[in-house]
Amino acid sequence: MGDLLGVRDVTIAYPTEHGAFIAVEGVSFAVAEGEKFVLLGPSGCGKSTLLKAVAGFMPIAAGAMELEGRRIERPGPDRVVVFQEFDQLLPWKTVLANVVYPLRVARGLPAPRARETAESFLAMVGLDRFAASYPHQLSGGMKQRVAIARALALDPRMLLMDEPFASLDALTRHKMREELLAIWETTRKTLLFVTHSIEEAVLLGDRILVLSAGPARVRRILANPAVGARGTEAALAVQREVQTVLGQ
Amino acid sequence: MTRAATRTALRKAAILAALLAAWEAWTRLGEVSPLLFPPASTVLAAFGRSLANGEVPGYAAQSLQVLLTGMALGSALALVLTTLAVGTRLGAEFLETLTSMFNPLPAIALMPLSLLWFGLGVQSLIFVIVHSVLWPMSLNTYTGFVTVPPTLRRVGQNFGLSGWRLVLGILLPAAFPYILSGLKIGWAFAWRTIIAAEMVFGVAGSQGGLGWFIYQNRFEMNTDLVFAGLLTVILIGLLVENLIFRWIERRTVQRWGMSAGH
């Protein structure tokens, strides 16, 4: 398995009134095909900025960012983002139409095939009964599941998730993490996942990149033998290790 | 309808009936000249007659045709102005300056200039209507575009949309609640403006429209028909606002759980 995403010495800066604000500085990492890679760091450390740059929403000031050896220059359906915000669904479209629409415009699928694909992915996240509902009729957790179905239906090279469960209540959040693991088992889609929760990082990440705060720099990249395990000794050990790295 | 809503409707109907009865009693018993203030029954009869002989519907159709032409033109111009304003900073400042300049100016105040420039014709009316629609439409559409959630914009870009495909696929529907509310305000301004403007035509001796119908009948002392004309203006206003726009809202922004937030 070769590297799918390569990030080398990337620096990202925002222009502000007092000159440039460095959000990310000299970050390097690589994500392999089929890997679940987590970016972990304190709130406001610039980890979301890094993900937005991978998505193509944000230019980088220095370094290189490549997907399968090609420079990332603009957003595209080969890297689909699941956002934290619930308003990422199009409110004027039904749940089904929300999944069908990108298949039509981004993949150019004919209507019947787009519909079939959308229906099967909605069934995968358990929302086929809500195909005719509008987003405002769904709970927060259901909205995020539609967003995940929509992203996976597009069959991207990589799935990018920006704290997708952070706005959910604790119970739903736990359930969604488990569901994401189950979904990943069937799709094996390469995942770049941003979170500030150590527990979430250790549950989901094959490898965890721990970032320092403002500007974001690489503290350490940890291999996580406890991925998918909840509350085991191994998981607790990794959590303690991450905590130590974060506390440095 | 819920029970509370039914009761409210019944109470309002009772208020209306009481007002009509008071009007009828006052004009019949109080020796009021029917040339100045005809009884309610006379007015309703005149309204029925002018409906039946096609006089009022004809004039109303004339007013509405001019109004819709003006609104279509005004909306198209508003879309152009808004596109400029969203695209460039200069365009945004241009729109802000123009709207703040023309908002306090009643469109009807431009009628003398309009007559001077376009003469006694439909063009003069359309010019005034365009003016009454253009500014509220532009302001609302612009607000709609700039308040589209950044996440939604990014979702569109993520689907590979850009330029006109992003505008048509994401920005326009996301701004729709504001556009609809701009259309509602535009209609309300335009309807009041056209009735007033047609009366200026009445002065100038040309003809056409409900406003002219009202003005003309006042000259001929057909006061009951003047009232019938006013009644028509009210009824059409209510019909468009409570039936047509409500119908559109139920099928769009209400179904989608979207609102313009003002």
Side-chain angles (χ1 to χ4, degrees):
Chain A
M1 282 198 292
D3 286 342
L4 184 66
L5 174 75
V7 175
R8 280 191 308 279
D9 264 327
V10 162
T11 296
I12 303 170
Y14 293 99
T16 69
E17 285 165 30
H18 321 289
F21 168 76
I22 313 272
V24 176
E25 193 173 37
V27 169
S28 300
F29 64 91
V31 180
E33 176 94 53
E35 187 178 26
K36 301 190 291 298
F37 195 90
V38 171
L39 299 176
L40 175 72
S43 294
C45 80
K47 54 193 188 299
S48 280
T49 308
L50 200 50
L51 182 126
K52 286 193 176 84
V54 175
F57 296 131
M58 190 158 285
I60 55 176
M65 216 170 235
E66 291 174 344
L67 185 79
E68 294 180 303
R70 281 192 311 275
R71 265 175 70 98
I72 291 173
E73 278 167 344
R74 60 177 68 84
D78 53 350
R79 288 150 287 139
V80 182
V81 185
V82 175
F83 296 90
Q84 180 185 337
E85 290 82 9
F86 294 150
D87 62 9
Q88 63 189 300
L89 301 181
L90 313 182
W92 57 92
K93 288 188 185 292
T94 61
V95 165
L96 181 68
N98 257 285
V99 186
V100 167
Y101 177 68
L103 289 173
R104 305 268 294 137
V105 297
R107 288 272 172 261
L109 290 191
R113 268 204 52 209
R115 200 191 152 93
E116 251 171 59
T117 311
E119 277 168 348
S120 72
F121 277 90
L122 279 176
M124 186 181 74
V125 298
L127 285 179
D128 36 344
R129 285 189 304 120
F130 293 88
S133 303
Y134 282 88
H136 76 102
Q137 297 168 311
L138 305 182
S139 68
M142 290 156 87
K143 283 180 194 165
Q144 296 310 80
R145 277 193 263 164
V146 176
I148 293 171
R150 180 175 71 179
L152 289 172
L154 273 168
D155 193 23
R157 294 297 290 127
M158 237 185 136
L159 182 61
L160 311 179
M161 301 183 94
D162 189 3
E163 305 206 45
F165 310 140
S167 297
L168 300 170
D169 63 87
L171 266 174
T172 313
R173 190 159 55 227
H174 280 275
K175 229 181 114 203
M176 291 292 296
R177 286 173 187 163
E178 301 291 345
E179 270 183 41
L180 180 64
L181 274 177
I183 288 169
W184 185 85
E185 285 302 327
T186 59
T187 62
R188 300 263 159 181
K189 188 64 71 187
T190 312
L191 175 67
L192 183 65
F193 192 102
V194 165
T195 181
H196 64 263
S197 154
I198 297 176
E199 194 193 350
E200 195 164 75
V202 174
L203 180 69
L204 298 177
D206 293 317
R207 284 193 299 154
I208 302 166
L209 167 58
V210 183
L211 289 160
S212 65
R217 293 197 188 89
V218 178
R219 274 247 161 92
R220 198 183 299 172
I221 299 177
L222 298 159
N224 175 22
V227 61
R230 184 186 280 284
T232 62
E233 268 309 310
L236 290 175
V238 179
Q239 283 185 23
R240 270 195 300 272
E241 192 186 349
V242 171
Q243 229 154 13
T244 325
V245 176
L246 267 173
Q248 276 166 2
Chain B
M1 232 193 287
T2 64
R3 265 178 74 168
T6 315
R7 272 201 208 128
T8 309
L10 278 176
R11 269 198 301 271
K12 283 186 177 164
I15 292 173
L16 202 60
L19 277 176
L20 281 175
W23 174 2
E24 186 74 21
W26 175 64
T27 44
R28 295 244 178 241
L29 305 173
E31 304 212 349
V32 183
S33 162
L35 285 182
L36 292 180
F37 211 124
S41 53
T42 316
V43 167
L44 289 178
F47 178 63
R49 254 185 293 120
S50 54
L51 267 188
N53 66 20
E55 204 177 7
V56 155
Y59 283 125
Q62 228 172 322
S63 293
L64 284 172
Q65 196 193 344
V66 175
L67 179 141
L68 288 179
T69 313
M71 269 189 89
L73 216 61
S75 306
L77 279 174
L79 205 63
V80 172
L81 266 185
T82 315
T83 310
L84 284 177
V86 172
T88 64
R89 176 174 293 190
L90 188 67
E93 282 157 5
F94 181 69
L95 179 66
E96 274 163 29
T97 313
L98 283 187
T99 42
S100 51
M101 221 168 77
F102 285 121
N103 246 348
L105 185 69
I108 192 68
L110 287 175
M111 200 64 201
L113 271 184
S114 184
L115 287 171
L116 189 66
W117 291 340
F118 301 101
L120 281 174
V122 179
Q123 291 101 313
S124 283
L125 280 175
I126 291 179
F127 175 78
V128 186
I129 298 301
V130 165
H131 187 81
S132 74
V133 169
L134 178 55
W135 310 113
M137 269 294 282
S138 304
L139 202 59
N140 268 275
T141 312
Y142 177 65
T143 312
F145 275 123
V146 296
T147 51
V148 171
T151 314
L152 224 44
R153 197 183 288 260
R154 287 198 173 122
V155 165
Q157 291 169 338
N158 206 177
F159 298 162
L161 301 178
S162 61
W164 275 109
R165 294 177 73 210
L166 186 68
V167 172
L168 289 179
I170 305 286
L171 301 185
L172 210 58
F176 182 75
Y178 285 88
I179 296 171
L180 184 62
S181 111
L183 270 174
K184 266 168 78 175
I185 299 170
W187 151 265
F189 280 178
W191 183 234
R192 285 151 184 76
T193 303
I194 192 156
I195 300 302
E198 284 166 351
M199 293 196 179
V200 179
F201 265 16
V203 177
S206 181
Q207 55 170 287
L210 265 180
W212 188 80
F213 171 82
I214 294 168
Y215 206 85
Q216 183 66 15
N217 279 303
R218 170 241 178 279
F219 263 126
E220 293 165 12
M221 288 305 264
N222 298 324
T223 315
D224 50 350
L225 285 176
V226 172
F227 274 86
L230 293 176
L231 188 62
T232 314
V233 174
I234 293 173
L235 285 178
I236 291 177
L238 286 178
L239 211 73
V240 171
E241 269 153 50
N242 293 324
L243 285 180
I244 298 181
F245 276 113
R246 286 292 301 140
W247 182 84
I248 297 175
E249 276 171 348
R250 267 204 309 277
R251 262 148 199 80
T252 57
V253 290
Q254 261 184 29
R255 176 174 295 176
W256 306 336
M258 295 170 88
S259 75
H262 63 68

